[in-house]
Amino acid sequence: MNQKLDILKQFKIPRSISTTNQKATLKKLNNQSMQTIVDKLPPIHPQPLQRIQTEQQDEQQCVKYVTAKTLAGQTNRKRLKINQDSLIVKKYLCNQIDWHLFGVFDGHGQNGHFVSRLISQQIPKILENKLLENRTSNANDIKQILINTYQQIENDLVDNSNIACNFSGSTAIITYLMGQKIYCANVGDSRAVFFYRSGDSWFNRALSFDHKPNKSIELKRILSQGGRVEQSFFDGKRQGAYRVWLPHDDVPGLAMSRSIGDLVAKQVGVIAEPEILRYKIPNNGFILIGSDGLWDKMDYESIQKILHNYYPPLNQIDVESAIQRILGETYTKWDQLDAARDDITIILIYVEI
């Protein structure tokens, strides 16, 4: 124990949230988390089989329909937890008809929900300001703007907030659409995928890659900074996900190699720099962004089967029904396979070119 305290004394401990504010925030979050899955899902249309073509959309608008759902996780005793996921759905970024921002942020640790909410609130403001300052559509410039946005978020969290984040943090994945171009900036293990149909077959394209500490490039960086990457030790053996540890103590045990926050892990190679992929939309299709509560239980084939039933979506109700089916199936798999359940957050966007 003394060794652990000595290690932690090396790090700057941010001010903790005031007790009054924290209680008020937790009460609000608990009220939100107590909503059941029925509350989260859209109402069933009185004539669910009737699919009516809505009025013609603006021809410049690539994003036709978008919807988002989130569901709080539960403990082994079936009690709802505080939902530590947050999300962004912001159309018409910088008042541009074909610029849109979508993001999912999966918090972890005692204050993870505060971290994820801070990110979701600040990223749209910071990104818009940087885009307006630079006024560029150059791919390399956009990439640097996204990197700078994430860096500013990390700096604001550490220097300008009262959130204690030595052992708390969040994933951060955003997709920024400029016309038919998708820029995906990712930190952590939330994920974005583009699903599209060509002929009678469905295809998928990864818009991001999970940042796991045992991946070669991530592992090399962590080891070079003095960190350890090992599984947790249970029942006399190593098992479970690979995690990041300090060199001589079993903390923090972070199951990802990049995150916002997690200051202790930052001392041994965990970084907040996003990996950025650029992709040009080749066909009409669905962009699906989700926290790992979705991807831990749903494979791409299962998702494609659901999307097939609503392709092409003729109105907003179709997209709402599709996300309801995806969330419901994910919920069922968690319920059948595990006593506990992770938070599940999904954004579903239908694009048409």
Side-chain angles (χ1 to χ4, degrees), residues 36-56:
T36 65
I37 187 170
V38 176
D39 297 326
K40 293 289 182 181
L41 301 181
I44 300 297
H45 194 273
Q47 294 178 309
L49 298 180
Q50 183 180 1
R51 301 172 70 213
I52 304 170
Q53 176 69 54
T54 56
E55 63 184 5
Q56 198 72 15

mmCIF file of all heavy atoms in Angstrom, residues 36-56:
data_model
loop_
_atom_site.group_PDB
_atom_site.id
_atom_site.type_symbol
_atom_site.label_atom_id
_atom_site.label_comp_id
_atom_site.label_asym_id
_atom_site.label_seq_id
_atom_site.Cartn_x
_atom_site.Cartn_y
_atom_site.Cartn_z
ATOM 1 N N THR A 36 -36.386 2.971 -18.525
ATOM 2 C CA THR A 36 -36.286 1.591 -19.004
ATOM 3 C C THR A 36 -36.025 1.572 -20.490
ATOM 4 O O THR A 36 -36.070 2.591 -21.170
ATOM 5 C CB THR A 36 -37.599 0.832 -18.724
ATOM 6 O OG1 THR A 36 -38.626 1.445 -19.509
ATOM 7 C CG2 THR A 36 -37.977 0.899 -17.260
ATOM 8 N N ILE A 37 -35.774 0.382 -20.998
ATOM 9 C CA ILE A 37 -35.540 0.244 -22.434
ATOM 10 C C ILE A 37 -36.758 0.693 -23.218
ATOM 11 O O ILE A 37 -36.658 1.240 -24.302
ATOM 12 C CB ILE A 37 -35.152 -1.206 -22.785
ATOM 13 C CG1 ILE A 37 -34.750 -1.291 -24.271
ATOM 14 C CG2 ILE A 37 -36.285 -2.185 -22.494
ATOM 15 C CD1 ILE A 37 -34.135 -2.605 -24.651
ATOM 16 N N VAL A 38 -37.955 0.519 -22.641
ATOM 17 C CA VAL A 38 -39.171 0.958 -23.325
ATOM 18 C C VAL A 38 -39.177 2.463 -23.474
ATOM 19 O O VAL A 38 -39.577 3.011 -24.505
ATOM 20 C CB VAL A 38 -40.424 0.486 -22.561
ATOM 21 C CG1 VAL A 38 -41.686 1.029 -23.224
ATOM 22 C CG2 VAL A 38 -40.475 -1.036 -22.514
ATOM 23 N N ASP A 39 -38.690 3.164 -22.438
ATOM 24 C CA ASP A 39 -38.638 4.619 -22.499
ATOM 25 C C ASP A 39 -37.679 5.092 -23.584
ATOM 26 O O ASP A 39 -37.892 6.121 -24.205
ATOM 27 C CB ASP A 39 -38.192 5.211 -21.156
ATOM 28 C CG ASP A 39 -39.175 4.906 -20.039
ATOM 29 O OD1 ASP A 39 -40.374 4.862 -20.325
ATOM 30 O OD2 ASP A 39 -38.733 4.705 -18.905
ATOM 31 N N LYS A 40 -36.616 4.320 -23.791
ATOM 32 C CA LYS A 40 -35.581 4.739 -24.715
ATOM 33 C C LYS A 40 -35.961 4.501 -26.162
ATOM 34 O O LYS A 40 -35.416 5.124 -27.060
ATOM 35 C CB LYS A 40 -34.271 3.989 -24.412
ATOM 36 C CG LYS A 40 -33.647 4.338 -23.077
ATOM 37 C CD LYS A 40 -33.077 5.726 -23.092
ATOM 38 C CE LYS A 40 -32.403 6.046 -21.763
ATOM 39 N NZ LYS A 40 -31.860 7.400 -21.755
ATOM 40 N N LEU A 41 -36.849 3.567 -26.423
ATOM 41 C CA LEU A 41 -37.152 3.191 -27.783
ATOM 42 C C LEU A 41 -38.310 4.013 -28.337
ATOM 43 O O LEU A 41 -39.188 4.434 -27.598
ATOM 44 C CB LEU A 41 -37.492 1.698 -27.844
ATOM 45 C CG LEU A 41 -36.379 0.773 -27.350
ATOM 46 C CD1 LEU A 41 -36.804 -0.665 -27.480
ATOM 47 C CD2 LEU A 41 -35.106 1.018 -28.129
ATOM 48 N N PRO A 42 -38.320 4.239 -29.650
ATOM 49 C CA PRO A 42 -39.395 5.033 -30.248
ATOM 50 C C PRO A 42 -40.705 4.287 -30.216
ATOM 51 O O PRO A 42 -40.729 3.054 -30.209
ATOM 52 C CB PRO A 42 -38.914 5.220 -31.696
ATOM 53 C CG PRO A 42 -38.032 4.046 -31.939
ATOM 54 C CD PRO A 42 -37.358 3.777 -30.628
ATOM 55 N N PRO A 43 -41.835 4.993 -30.165
ATOM 56 C CA PRO A 43 -43.131 4.311 -30.160
ATOM 57 C C PRO A 43 -43.357 3.582 -31.474
ATOM 58 O O PRO A 43 -42.875 4.002 -32.524
ATOM 59 C CB PRO A 43 -44.121 5.467 -29.990
ATOM 60 C CG PRO A 43 -43.385 6.671 -30.513
ATOM 61 C CD PRO A 43 -41.944 6.447 -30.169
ATOM 62 N N ILE A 44 -44.082 2.475 -31.380
ATOM 63 C CA ILE A 44 -44.396 1.721 -32.577
ATOM 64 C C ILE A 44 -45.450 2.471 -33.383
ATOM 65 O O ILE A 44 -46.459 2.935 -32.854
ATOM 66 C CB ILE A 44 -44.914 0.314 -32.217
ATOM 67 C CG1 ILE A 44 -43.835 -0.437 -31.428
ATOM 68 C CG2 ILE A 44 -45.306 -0.461 -33.459
ATOM 69 C CD1 ILE A 44 -42.571 -0.678 -32.187
ATOM 70 N N HIS A 45 -45.213 2.619 -34.676
ATOM 71 C CA HIS A 45 -46.169 3.291 -35.538
ATOM 72 C C HIS A 45 -47.465 2.486 -35.587
ATOM 73 O O HIS A 45 -47.423 1.248 -35.628
ATOM 74 C CB HIS A 45 -45.567 3.417 -36.945
ATOM 75 C CG HIS A 45 -46.301 4.378 -37.828
ATOM 76 N ND1 HIS A 45 -47.374 4.007 -38.589
ATOM 77 C CD2 HIS A 45 -46.105 5.705 -38.055
ATOM 78 C CE1 HIS A 45 -47.811 5.056 -39.267
ATOM 79 N NE2 HIS A 45 -47.057 6.095 -38.959
ATOM 80 N N PRO A 46 -48.623 3.127 -35.541
ATOM 81 C CA PRO A 46 -49.888 2.384 -35.534
ATOM 82 C C PRO A 46 -50.056 1.470 -36.747
ATOM 83 O O PRO A 46 -50.783 0.489 -36.680
ATOM 84 C CB PRO A 46 -50.958 3.492 -35.518
ATOM 85 C CG PRO A 46 -50.231 4.745 -35.912
ATOM 86 C CD PRO A 46 -48.837 4.563 -35.440
ATOM 87 N N GLN A 47 -49.387 1.778 -37.838
ATOM 88 C CA GLN A 47 -49.415 0.906 -39.005
ATOM 89 C C GLN A 47 -47.971 0.595 -39.403
ATOM 90 O O GLN A 47 -47.431 1.157 -40.345
ATOM 91 C CB GLN A 47 -50.158 1.568 -40.164
ATOM 92 C CG GLN A 47 -51.653 1.773 -39.901
ATOM 93 C CD GLN A 47 -52.325 2.464 -41.062
ATOM 94 O OE1 GLN A 47 -51.874 3.500 -41.537
ATOM 95 N NE2 GLN A 47 -53.408 1.864 -41.538
ATOM 96 N N PRO A 48 -47.299 -0.301 -38.632
ATOM 97 C CA PRO A 48 -45.866 -0.505 -38.812
ATOM 98 C C PRO A 48 -45.473 -1.041 -40.179
ATOM 99 O O PRO A 48 -44.345 -0.876 -40.606
ATOM 100 C CB PRO A 48 -45.523 -1.520 -37.718
ATOM 101 C CG PRO A 48 -46.810 -2.204 -37.406
ATOM 102 C CD PRO A 48 -47.860 -1.164 -37.592
ATOM 103 N N LEU A 49 -46.381 -1.672 -40.894
ATOM 104 C CA LEU A 49 -46.035 -2.237 -42.186
ATOM 105 C C LEU A 49 -46.184 -1.224 -43.312
ATOM 106 O O LEU A 49 -45.763 -1.466 -44.430
ATOM 107 C CB LEU A 49 -46.912 -3.466 -42.484
ATOM 108 C CG LEU A 49 -46.756 -4.629 -41.503
ATOM 109 C CD1 LEU A 49 -47.665 -5.777 -41.904
ATOM 110 C CD2 LEU A 49 -45.304 -5.097 -41.458
ATOM 111 N N GLN A 50 -46.805 -0.108 -43.017
ATOM 112 C CA GLN A 50 -47.021 0.905 -44.042
ATOM 113 C C GLN A 50 -45.816 1.837 -44.086
ATOM 114 O O GLN A 50 -45.533 2.565 -43.153
ATOM 115 C CB GLN A 50 -48.286 1.701 -43.738
ATOM 116 C CG GLN A 50 -48.615 2.746 -44.810
ATOM 117 C CD GLN A 50 -49.866 3.519 -44.485
ATOM 118 O OE1 GLN A 50 -50.471 3.276 -43.453
ATOM 119 N NE2 GLN A 50 -50.242 4.447 -45.336
ATOM 120 N N ARG A 51 -45.076 1.799 -45.188
ATOM 121 C CA ARG A 51 -43.885 2.630 -45.341
ATOM 122 C C ARG A 51 -44.174 3.652 -46.440
ATOM 123 O O ARG A 51 -44.304 3.307 -47.611
ATOM 124 C CB ARG A 51 -42.672 1.775 -45.688
ATOM 125 C CG ARG A 51 -42.377 0.711 -44.637
ATOM 126 C CD ARG A 51 -41.301 -0.237 -45.094
ATOM 127 N NE ARG A 51 -40.010 0.445 -45.140
ATOM 128 C CZ ARG A 51 -39.065 0.141 -46.030
ATOM 129 N NH1 ARG A 51 -39.284 -0.773 -46.938
ATOM 130 N NH2 ARG A 51 -37.915 0.774 -46.028
ATOM 131 N N ILE A 52 -44.282 4.894 -46.036
ATOM 132 C CA ILE A 52 -44.718 5.944 -46.958
ATOM 133 C C ILE A 52 -43.531 6.835 -47.302
ATOM 134 O O ILE A 52 -42.777 7.266 -46.432
ATOM 135 C CB ILE A 52 -45.835 6.788 -46.315
ATOM 136 C CG1 ILE A 52 -46.995 5.868 -45.892
ATOM 137 C CG2 ILE A 52 -46.313 7.869 -47.262
ATOM 138 C CD1 ILE A 52 -48.030 6.564 -45.049
ATOM 139 N N GLN A 53 -43.338 7.073 -48.589
ATOM 140 C CA GLN A 53 -42.257 7.952 -49.038
ATOM 141 C C GLN A 53 -42.526 9.376 -48.584
ATOM 142 O O GLN A 53 -43.597 9.922 -48.829
ATOM 143 C CB GLN A 53 -42.144 7.901 -50.565
ATOM 144 C CG GLN A 53 -41.102 8.849 -51.126
ATOM 145 C CD GLN A 53 -39.698 8.408 -50.759
ATOM 146 O OE1 GLN A 53 -39.318 7.275 -51.012
ATOM 147 N NE2 GLN A 53 -38.943 9.281 -50.142
ATOM 148 N N THR A 54 -41.552 9.969 -47.871
ATOM 149 C CA THR A 54 -41.704 11.355 -47.419
ATOM 150 C C THR A 54 -41.340 12.308 -48.553
ATOM 151 O O THR A 54 -40.862 11.899 -49.611
ATOM 152 C CB THR A 54 -40.805 11.625 -46.212
ATOM 153 O OG1 THR A 54 -39.456 11.302 -46.563
ATOM 154 C CG2 THR A 54 -41.230 10.783 -45.036
ATOM 155 N N GLU A 55 -41.525 13.591 -48.295
ATOM 156 C CA GLU A 55 -41.255 14.568 -49.346
ATOM 157 C C GLU A 55 -39.779 14.588 -49.700
ATOM 158 O O GLU A 55 -38.923 14.185 -48.931
ATOM 159 C CB GLU A 55 -41.698 15.958 -48.884
ATOM 160 C CG GLU A 55 -40.941 16.468 -47.663
ATOM 161 C CD GLU A 55 -41.476 17.811 -47.191
ATOM 162 O OE1 GLU A 55 -42.471 18.276 -47.752
ATOM 163 O OE2 GLU A 55 -40.867 18.368 -46.268
ATOM 164 N N GLN A 56 -39.487 15.034 -50.898
ATOM 165 C CA GLN A 56 -38.125 15.041 -51.412
ATOM 166 C C GLN A 56 -37.219 15.904 -50.539
ATOM 167 O O GLN A 56 -37.578 17.009 -50.144
ATOM 168 C CB GLN A 56 -38.129 15.586 -52.851
ATOM 169 C CG GLN A 56 -36.878 15.238 -53.639
ATOM 170 C CD GLN A 56 -36.838 13.765 -54.006
ATOM 171 O OE1 GLN A 56 -37.842 13.086 -53.913
ATOM 172 N NE2 GLN A 56 -35.682 13.286 -54.396
#
